[in-house]
Amino acid sequence: MNFEKKQILLHDIMCTIGGFFGAYAIVNGFENMGSAQTTNMIEIICTILGRNLQDFFMRILALALYIFAIIICVYLEKRAVINVHKYAICVELIIMIGLVFLPPHIEPLIGLLPIFFMMATQWSAFHGTEKYNCSTIFSTNNLRQCVSGFTVYFLDKDKEQLEKAKFFGKSILWFHIGVVISYFCCKQFGQYASLCAVPLGGIAIALEVMQESVKNNIKVEI
């Protein structure tokens, strides 16, 4: 398997993990996804207007944690302290295991905090391939890119647009495969379902090690 194929396979695995934990938060009753901050930021304004200070401070904490996860990844990537992909996967593996220790019937927003950190970390580290900038934790822009790519292809017969549409469509497919896996795991195991994603994390770290080895060999040859 060449470098490009490994890169695409790693992207597909991360999309599956993104879909898994998007569904994990919803199916297990955490009220909203842990992938994005849109709902949380709207709720911040609503809690201010409704003078619900307790919820306001909890949601500010959630936003701060999401931002902090992004800052860490940017710092690691810019300063080349460690491999940011390996860091992100290790963070995810730790949180996958850690989620099983949350108390039953935990306050939904508190239960979302580790998922917010995990998904912000994944999004910052894995945002497509060298050719396409593509989210691995939600699908709205991926859907737009897929539809626009197919539309342009049918209008202009542009094969590059067809290739793009297929890539984003496949990303959406793998994301929702993760959703399906998560749904059945959560229905069967509840919050312990996070352990079902550990094998995906293991595959991801193995692929990243293989990719890093290929990159190093290329540098040596140059």
Side-chain angles (χ1 to χ4, degrees), residues 6-71:
K6 288 190 184 78
Q7 187 183 51
I8 292 173
L9 180 56
L10 180 58
H11 171 78
D12 293 342
I13 293 293
M14 299 315 295
C15 286
T16 307
I17 292 173
F20 185 100
F21 282 98
Y24 176 92
I26 293 172
V27 178
N28 281 327
F30 291 119
E31 297 180 359
N32 59 270
M33 290 175 63
S35 301
Q37 280 292 301
T38 304
T39 300
N40 188 53
M41 293 170 72
I42 291 172
E43 290 287 354
I44 287 172
I45 302 301
C46 292
T47 54
I48 293 173
L49 297 177
R51 297 183 180 180
N52 186 340
L53 292 181
Q54 182 176 351
D55 275 5
F56 169 75
F57 287 118
M58 281 302 304
R59 291 191 176 279
I60 286 292
L61 175 61
L63 177 61
L65 196 63
Y66 201 91
I67 291 171
F68 184 57
I70 295 170
I71 290 171

Side-chain angles (χ1 to χ4, degrees), residues 29 35 37 41 53 59 67 92 152 164 171 188 194 217:
S35 301
Q37 280 292 301
M41 293 170 72
L53 292 181
R59 291 191 176 279
I67 291 171
E92 294 201 310
V152 172
K164 183 188 83 168
S171 297
Q188 184 69 34
S194 61
N217 287 337

